[in-house]
Each structure stands twice: as C-alpha cells, then as structure tokens.
Amino acid sequence: MRLSPSSPPIGMAVLLLAVPFLLAAPDARAQSAPAAAASVAAPPVDLPATTSSADAPAGARSANQVDLDDIRNFSRVYEVVRQAYVEKVDDKTLMKAAITGMLSGLDPHSEYLDKDGLTQLSEDTTGEYSGLGIEVLQVDGGLRIVSPIDDTPAARAGIKPGDSIVKINGSVVDAQNVDEMFKQLRGKPGSKIDLTIVHPNSDKLIDLHLVRENISVSSVKVRELEPGYAYVRISQFQEDTAGDLEKKLGQLIAEHGAPKGAVLDLRNNPGGLLTAAVGVSDDFLDAGTIVTTRGRLQDANMSFKAHPGDQLGGAPMIVLTNNGTASAAEIVSGALKDNHRALTMGQRTFGKGVVQTVLPLDADHAVKITTARYYTPNGTSIQAEGIKPDIALADLTVNESDRGPVLISSEADLPNHLANENAKAGADINNDGSADDAKLATSDYALSQALNVLKGMALRQPAAVRR
C-alpha cells in the first residue's frame, strides 16, 4: 500500500466498515481526510447540556424533543418490568437491555459493546479466535448467515450465505435470547455444538454437528489458475490484508513473471476494515477515487484516493461477486468497477453501504453506531441494493455429459492421412486445453467463466503490453 498516515483527531474511535461483530482496528493509513484515533480519553461526541423541556418556552420546544411524559413512560415501563416480570431482573440487566434495545432499533449494525464484546470484535479483526468461522447478522430476532469463512468448520459443513440458524444445541433462537445464542457460537477449541439451519426458500430443517476450532484465518490466497493468469482470493478484510496481498502477489510475480490477467475472488467475503478495503483497491489502481463517506459528524466525511503503483501493471482483471459479497468487499468491487479497472462477474452483492464507528464510553464499554453512508467513485450508494455485476452468472454447477469415445475427432485419425511437415515430435494435438477447462468448470463454474472472459480481455491488450 502506498499511502501515508495522517494525524488522528481526538474524540473518535477508529472508523470501520464491516459486517456485524467486526471491530475497527487502529489503522490510520490510506486516508486523504483525517484518520480516527484508536482510543480516546473522553467521550467521542459532545452532548448538549441536559435541560428539561418543561423549563423551555412552549413555542421553543422541538417536535422531536423528549418531554416529561416520555420520561415518565420510560420510568413506568422500567418499574412495571421490575415488579411484574415473571422472574426477578436486576437493575443493571434492565438498563443494559434498554441501551441494547435503543441501538438495535436503529439498524442491524449498531450495538452496545461490553468488555466481552470488544474482545470478540478484536479477535475478529485479527482473524484469530475459537469458533465455527461464520459471519452472522441479527435479522428479525434471528441469526442469519452472511457468509462462512474459507477452510473453517462452517464452510466444511456446507453452510451457505443466507442460511438461517433456527436452533443452537436444541434451543430455538428467538428475539428474547438471540444475543445469548450468538455467544454460544464461540467456545473452547474441541468443544461440540449442534446447529439446526434452514436454507433460503426452503422449509427443510438441517441438523449439523460441529466441533469448534481455533480459527486463524489468512485472508489472502494467491496462485496461478494456469500459466499467465493469476487467482487472488480474499476471504475477509483484516488488519494485514493489504500487506499480505502485496507480499503474496509479489512472490507469484517473482516466480512466474507478470501475469497477463488476474481474477479477484470476493465471493462470500463478509467485509472487514475500511482501511484494508482502501489498501487493496489502491494495490490495483494508479489514480482515482476509491470511496467517499458522508455522515452528520465532520470526521465521518472522508474521501480516499488511489496512488500510482498498480501491482498488476494494468493487466486485465475480473472481480467475482455474489450475494455474500458485503461491506468492505463491496468497496473494492465498486472502486475497481467505477474506475474501469476491472469487469465484475457473478451476482448482485449484499448491499451494505453504511459505515460503523466504535465510540468508546470507558475502558470496557463502547457503542458501535452507524455514522455514515459510503459512495462508490461514481457517487452511487449501494445501501440495500448492492452492486450489479457487468456480466451476470447464475449460481450453477456443471457436470460432464456421459458419452462414448469419439473414434474420429480430427484429420489425424483418418487412415493414410498426410503428415504435417512442421509437426513437433511427441506433440499431442488433443491437448488443446479443453480438458483442463472442463475440470475447472465442474469444480467452479463461475471461476471457469471468469477465466475465459479474462483470456479474451488479454487478447485485446496491445501487443506491446502483453506478457
């Protein structure tokens, strides 16, 4: 990443763009506007002095101002719960529930974080924790899978984006226990957990028996798809994602030479840190806007620009997306698409176009609250709509057809055929690449289609820049 840090303002936790339960990390790189501090000594937002609306002139009261009747109603509800609820509830539990409810009522991403919540979010950011390896979202009092993380118990069990968790260890997940149920997804490595899930548009319950593991997720994988074409898989955006990408892509280029093109696979990528998304975008751009954010607070209004140093030297790119491509992954998709750096292929992305900021209240408590919307370089908000791919691909699987052997497939199979005077000794004319293409298509149809389009793009490159 070729970006310089700027001085962080006092009074705001680091800005993040992540799926629920991912923490912003103290990384102030890649900003053309002021970065945000990782910790503060005072509350981050200046609050107006507390005054009673009863003391203000009647004509001066705002329509949305809390009046004494609102305060009385809150106090009455609080007292009714304390006295009449079927089980005794202590005051601290009630107050925490009130705060949690106030934030969860805003949107699916704002929440109150205690010490355990902050620890959990920090683990997610570094990619090291013990659990199942799934990103989940609280929706309508339940738990919905945003995406499983590669090479984790959840992914190996066949959990897919959009699945809903109906039961955990036999207990039904509902609005009353959803927070407690979410915590059960994590636990000591080697401990067992039973999930009952349901796929989208299905009423069939599926029971899964899983074992928690230490999840140490390397967010970047780089390899050759075939000679001259690189494959870059980013599973989520962590603190070290941009640096890891630069290192592994550099190693591939040093070993095999500069590629003719690359596929960037962001399918089922739930997002992560805003700074990581900006860094990855900048690794494939030489100039242009990456993303802008706009909110009510001045520090929430930022613009991120690319700098010279495209790691692929302008070689053609395909970005693969699907409905599990969310948040920070959508920033990268939008940046490369709007800057005409890459074609996007696959399915519409998730559509999380809002930014959360972690605002510390004290050493052990914080509020994660939506503070801004983000916009792609063309000024488009993708909130609740997602990014439509340039080339749409259905979620299909391909199987090789059963057919008998072909006895004659070329002139060379005919008796008494004339030989090619320029034929190379030992050359196999049947090795035309179609077998490898079929193998890739049957294992990953979308990736095989992306590679074929990428080859066409590479052929259109001027001869002087072809690798």
Side-chain angles (χ1 to χ4, degrees):
M1 212 165 28
R2 304 155 303 285
L3 306 167
S4 56
S6 54
S7 301
I10 298 300
M12 181 173 289
V14 71
L15 190 72
L16 75 121
L17 187 110
V19 297
F21 316 121
L22 288 182
L23 174 67
D27 188 343
R29 298 173 295 169
Q31 296 190 198
S32 58
S39 60
V40 296
V45 179
D46 293 330
L47 301 176
T50 303
T51 59
S52 170
S53 59
D55 298 332
R61 295 177 191 170
S62 171
N64 66 351
Q65 189 173 8
V66 175
D67 58 25
L68 289 177
D69 286 339
D70 296 320
I71 297 173
R72 290 191 186 101
N73 284 337
F74 177 84
S75 299
R76 287 168 183 157
V77 171
Y78 189 91
E79 202 56 38
V80 164
V81 174
R82 288 183 69 247
Q83 296 183 24
Y85 187 65
V86 64
E87 295 180 352
K88 185 176 181 180
V89 185
D90 62 80
D91 289 343
K92 283 190 175 182
T93 299
L94 274 181
M95 187 57 66
K96 181 179 178 180
I99 296 172
T100 300
M102 176 170 57
L103 289 164
S104 63
L106 297 174
D107 60 54
H109 311 291
S110 297
E111 60 176 322
Y112 175 67
L113 303 173
D114 56 14
K115 186 174 182 178
D116 289 341
L118 287 170
T119 299
Q120 177 181 294
L121 295 177
S122 180
E123 290 174 348
D124 284 336
T125 303
T126 60
E128 296 182 358
Y129 60 93
S130 177
L132 302 176
I134 48 176
E135 302 295 340
V136 300
L137 181 68
Q138 292 189 23
V139 178
D140 298 329
L143 294 175
R144 183 176 300 169
I145 306 297
V146 175
S147 68
I149 298 172
D150 294 347
D151 301 325
T152 61
R156 292 193 292 270
I159 292 176
K160 303 294 184 184
D163 289 351
S164 295
I165 300 177
V166 180
K167 295 180 183 179
I168 298 178
N169 289 332
S171 298
V172 176
V173 178
D174 59 36
Q176 303 302 316
N177 66 9
V178 64
D179 289 332
E180 201 60 39
M181 286 293 186
F182 170 75
K183 293 178 182 178
Q184 292 187 36
L185 297 175
R186 298 204 172 178
K188 294 182 179 180
S191 59
K192 298 179 180 180
I193 183 171
D194 295 331
L195 300 184
T196 301
I197 67 169
V198 61
H199 295 311
N201 304 317
S202 172
D203 56 4
K204 181 181 179 181
L205 299 180
I206 301 172
D207 293 323
L208 300 174
H209 308 287
L210 305 174
V211 177
R212 300 179 182 91
E213 296 179 1
N214 283 324
I215 308 296
S216 182
V217 181
S218 175
S219 61
V220 179
K221 295 179 180 179
V222 177
R223 62 180 174 88
E224 266 202 329
L225 274 175
E226 62 177 59
Y229 296 95
Y231 174 75
V232 179
R233 166 64 181 164
I234 299 180
S235 58
Q236 62 188 90
F237 288 89
Q238 303 169 350
E239 294 175 3
D240 60 350
T241 297
D244 200 18
L245 170 65
E246 293 160 13
K247 176 183 176 181
K248 291 179 178 178
L249 190 56
Q251 290 173 342
L252 181 81
I253 293 173
E255 183 177 352
H256 299 286
K260 302 174 187 176
V263 176
L264 174 60
D265 190 351
L266 298 180
R267 292 173 295 176
N268 299 331
N269 182 319
L273 300 179
L274 172 62
T275 48
V278 171
V280 168
S281 300
D282 197 18
D283 282 337
F284 298 119
L285 292 168
D286 278 324
T289 297
I290 294 173
V291 66
T292 57
T293 65
R294 302 176 205 162
R296 293 172 59 201
L297 299 176
Q298 183 177 357
D299 287 331
N301 299 317
M302 297 187 287
S303 179
F304 298 84
K305 307 288 185 181
H307 300 71
D310 180 352
Q311 300 292 298
L312 294 174
M317 288 185 67
I318 297 289
V319 179
L320 276 177
T321 66
N322 65 2
N323 299 152
T325 303
S327 192
E330 293 176 283
I331 283 184
V332 176
S333 302
L336 299 182
K337 175 183 172 74
D338 284 3
N339 282 292
H340 305 289
R341 178 63 186 88
L343 281 179
T344 56
M345 291 182 64
Q347 301 156 33
R348 176 187 53 81
T349 62
F350 186 76
K352 181 180 181 288
V354 289
V355 180
Q356 282 71 53
T357 304
V358 177
L359 304 174
L361 304 174
D362 56 37
D364 296 328
H365 301 85
V367 169
K368 186 178 76 154
I369 188 169
T370 300
T371 54
R373 297 175 184 266
Y374 78 77
Y375 300 84
T376 67
N378 285 351
T380 302
S381 169
I382 58 92
Q383 173 62 17
E385 291 188 359
I387 296 175
K388 184 178 179 180
D390 296 310
I391 301 174
L393 290 174
D395 186 13
L396 301 176
T397 56
V398 176
N399 296 310
E400 290 192 71
S401 61
D402 294 327
R403 63 179 183 179
V406 178
L407 298 179
I408 298 177
S409 63
S410 76
E411 172 79 9
D413 296 324
L414 296 176
N416 301 320
H417 68 273
L418 295 177
N420 188 316
E421 66 272 22
N422 297 320
K424 296 180 180 179
D428 182 6
I429 65 169
N430 292 316
N431 185 18
D432 59 0
S434 58
D436 290 337
D437 181 67
K439 183 178 179 181
L440 180 58
T442 53
S443 64
D444 191 334
Y445 167 73
L447 181 55
S448 72
Q449 293 300 297
L451 178 58
N452 288 333
V453 173
L454 186 64
K455 290 178 178 178
M457 295 170 65
L459 289 174
R460 291 177 59 87
Q461 289 282 92
V465 298
R466 287 184 195 167
R467 271 67 173 184

